[in-house]
Amino acid sequence: MPQPIFDAHCHIIDPRFPLVANDGYLPDAFSADDYVAAVEPLGICSGAVVSGSFQAFDQGYLLAALKQLGPDYVGVTQVPASIGDTELLELNAAGVRAVRFNLKRGGSEHADQLERMAKRVFELAGWHVELYVDSRELGELTTLLRRLPAASIDHLGLSRDGLPTLLRLAEAGVHIKACGFGRVDFDVVPALRDIDAANPHALMFGSDVPSTRAPRPFAPTDIDLIGEALDSDGLQRALWRNARAFYRL
């Protein structure tokens, strides 16, 4: 059987639901059907739908996408700090498993809410938090992330200069998404090897489709780069086991 793949980072863009221009940018539509057609031939059969800056706090699109994609898919949402426990538990029942803090582009809560919300959603529903942030700009958040119950960082942290920080966080148990290779400013193969060596449970592949605003969009050869970086067991962890465990599937 071919290697099954968990896609830890994808976006569904459904114009039936509210979209908010981010720095003047609105993405083209990319439906759940479009997503399945794009990734199913690659062996992707499970994954996490991630809310983008342009979706802000809307939950409608995410609930519709998860219902259509089925129980092998989970959601990563953006919620205000004022959200009630009842609504959080309703989202959990629908398959949401994490809160995203988009510190690079906005659309989410701000960093000053990170620790309180991370502890709250973990205690209430077992959720983790995900950060879209340039690793050069983590600063004092590095210490905070090391003490959170569960967290991940998108797109390999984006920057070469932040890789030492990223490795320290991986060693401390923070998960790292191997996605958005066209967004980073370094050679991903040695970086993947270093992260896997720091923590074999850290890496989680993501397609990042439809790669909104990426200088280079996702290509199937990005999966080959992971295979080049890791041995067969490491590849299986990065493509399937690590993320399935982290998202509790």
Side-chain angles (χ1 to χ4, degrees), residues 157-211:
L158 297 173
S159 296
R160 175 187 290 105
D161 291 344
L163 281 173
T165 300
L166 200 73
L167 290 174
R168 289 194 295 272
L169 288 172
E171 289 173 348
V174 174
H175 283 60
I176 311 296
K177 290 194 181 182
C179 64
F181 293 169
R183 303 180 188 272
V184 307
D185 66 356
F186 53 85
D187 183 353
V188 301
V189 170
L192 292 169
R193 288 184 185 133
D194 289 345
I195 295 166
D196 185 66
N199 180 352
H201 304 292
L203 281 173
M204 306 184 298
F205 161 77
S207 72
D208 190 38
V209 295
S211 303

Side-chain angles (χ1 to χ4, degrees), residues 14-223:
D14 189 339
R16 296 178 302 167
F17 298 94
L19 291 169
V20 180
N22 180 264
D23 290 332
Y25 173 80
L26 278 175
D28 295 330
F30 189 73
S31 69
D33 287 337
D34 293 332
Y35 170 77
V36 171
V39 304
E40 196 172 57
L42 304 177
I44 292 172
C45 56
S46 186
V49 179
V50 177
S51 292
S53 60
F54 39 77
Q55 284 154 330
F57 296 142
D58 175 58
Q59 308 300 325
Y61 97 91
L62 184 56
L63 296 178
L66 293 178
K67 183 176 181 180
Q68 183 172 348
L69 290 169
D72 280 318
Y73 281 81
V74 296
V76 179
T77 193
Q78 297 168 158
V79 293
S82 60
I83 189 171
D85 287 357
T86 298
E87 187 175 356
L88 284 172
L89 291 172
E90 288 172 351
L91 291 172
N92 184 69
V96 177
R97 293 294 179 266
V99 174
R100 192 184 198 204
F101 283 77
N102 193 328
L103 306 185
K104 183 172 176 62
R105 299 198 187 276
S108 69
E109 266 295 358
H110 302 294
D112 60 0
Q113 296 292 334
L114 175 58
E115 182 168 22
R116 186 178 73 83
M117 287 187 69
K119 292 178 178 178
R120 179 185 172 209
V121 299
F122 182 82
E123 291 169 1
L124 181 68
W127 291 7
H128 63 269
V129 293
E130 305 196 353
L131 277 71
Y132 184 17
V133 59
D134 190 315
S135 54
R136 296 174 300 180
E137 300 172 1
L138 281 168
E140 62 188 28
L141 287 179
T142 302
T143 302
L144 187 156
L145 285 172
R146 292 169 67 94
R147 65 174 183 260
L148 292 185
S152 70
I153 292 178
D154 296 344
H155 307 316
L156 296 173
L158 297 173
S159 296
R160 175 187 290 105
D161 291 344
L163 281 173
T165 300
L166 200 73
L167 290 174
R168 289 194 295 272
L169 288 172
E171 289 173 348
V174 174
H175 283 60
I176 311 296
K177 290 194 181 182
C179 64
F181 293 169
R183 303 180 188 272
V184 307
D185 66 356
F186 53 85
D187 183 353
V188 301
V189 170
L192 292 169
R193 288 184 185 133
D194 289 345
I195 295 166
D196 185 66
N199 180 352
H201 304 292
L203 281 173
M204 306 184 298
F205 161 77
S207 72
D208 190 38
V209 295
S211 303
T212 55
R213 289 188 275 195
R216 176 183 72 75
F218 167 76
T221 50
D222 289 347
I223 300 174

